[in-house]
Amino acid sequence: MSPSVTLRTLSRDDILLYLNDLTDILINCVEGGASVSFMLPFSRDKALAFWQRTAASVAANERILLAAVDAQQRIVGTVQLIIDQPENQPHRADVAKLLVHEDARRFGIASQLMSHLETVARDVGKNVLVLDTATGSGAETFYQRAGWQKVGEIPRYALMPAGELTATSVFYKFL
């Protein structure tokens, strides 16, 4: 059965209120092998610090954090829209950290989050979105199916959580 979710934009205070849920999702994704900037072993303290920095960035209007909240009022997925861009790129935003807890996967939550992100991006005047993801990952396939255009790959771009090198695939989408 598909979990019903509500999509919300989280404020700084919301992030701090949901800190445990957000931390659990990030840990779950990193421990599951997601290439989202962190290495194993991944501590709860490191995850908490990440979300606290994210809360400060949201408060500074540098990024927008979107969340999928389930019927039990738990956050089960998130995605970030980084809107603070250089002066010559006011029309562009970066997409980062699409995270869905493994217990909530395969129910369309990632698609719902990305669709909502596109609406929010338009609402704040953005019409070019960019992102990168580990080449060969499920995320790469997801973005291609969602209509994102792959620009290319950069070999040996980052380390996966367990330490192996991976290429990254760079994508864009016009809104």
Side-chain angles (χ1 to χ4, degrees):
M1 183 159 104
S2 170
S4 174
V5 295
T6 302
L7 302 177
R8 294 188 46 203
T9 300
L10 299 185
S11 68
R12 174 197 167 276
D13 292 343
D14 293 332
I15 295 167
L16 298 177
L17 178 67
Y18 283 106
L19 208 48
N20 284 327
D21 286 356
L22 293 165
T23 297
D24 290 345
I25 292 168
L26 183 56
I27 290 171
N28 176 264
C29 290
V30 172
E31 288 181 350
S35 178
V36 290
S37 305
F38 299 102
M39 302 297 294
L40 294 172
F42 186 56
S43 70
R44 190 160 191 85
D45 287 343
K46 195 175 280 190
L48 284 165
F50 168 78
W51 288 114
Q52 289 165 339
R53 286 190 308 275
T54 300
S57 184
V58 165
N61 293 317
E62 297 168 341
R63 71 185 61 224
I64 298 169
L65 178 63
L66 304 177
V69 181
D70 71 10
Q72 290 75 41
Q73 298 305 301
R74 292 177 308 209
I75 294 180
V76 296
T78 67
V79 67
Q80 297 182 35
L81 184 68
I82 302 170
I83 56 174
D84 184 33
Q85 298 297 330
E87 184 178 349
N88 68 338
Q89 299 168 44
H91 59 290
R92 184 178 72 77
D94 295 332
V95 176
K97 307 266 187 301
L98 175 60
L99 306 169
V100 177
H101 193 283
E102 67 182 340
D103 294 341
R105 291 185 191 153
R106 306 280 179 233
F107 298 113
I109 293 171
S111 294
Q112 290 178 59
L113 281 165
M114 291 302 291
S115 178
H116 187 55
L117 175 131
E118 291 177 20
T119 299
V120 169
R122 281 186 202 94
D123 289 348
V124 297
K126 305 298 182 177
N127 57 42
V128 177
L129 302 180
V130 296
L131 63 82
D132 71 273
T133 193
T135 302
S137 67
E140 181 181 29
T141 302
F142 168 79
Y143 292 122
Q144 288 173 321
R145 287 183 181 158
W148 287 74
Q149 300 301 308
K150 184 173 175 178
V151 176
E153 298 175 7
I154 304 171
R156 301 180 345 178
Y157 186 79
L159 296 174
M160 294 298 286
E164 66 276 13
L165 275 170
T166 187
T168 196
S169 294
V170 179
F171 288 87
Y172 73 91
K173 190 169 192 179
F174 292 144
L175 303 179

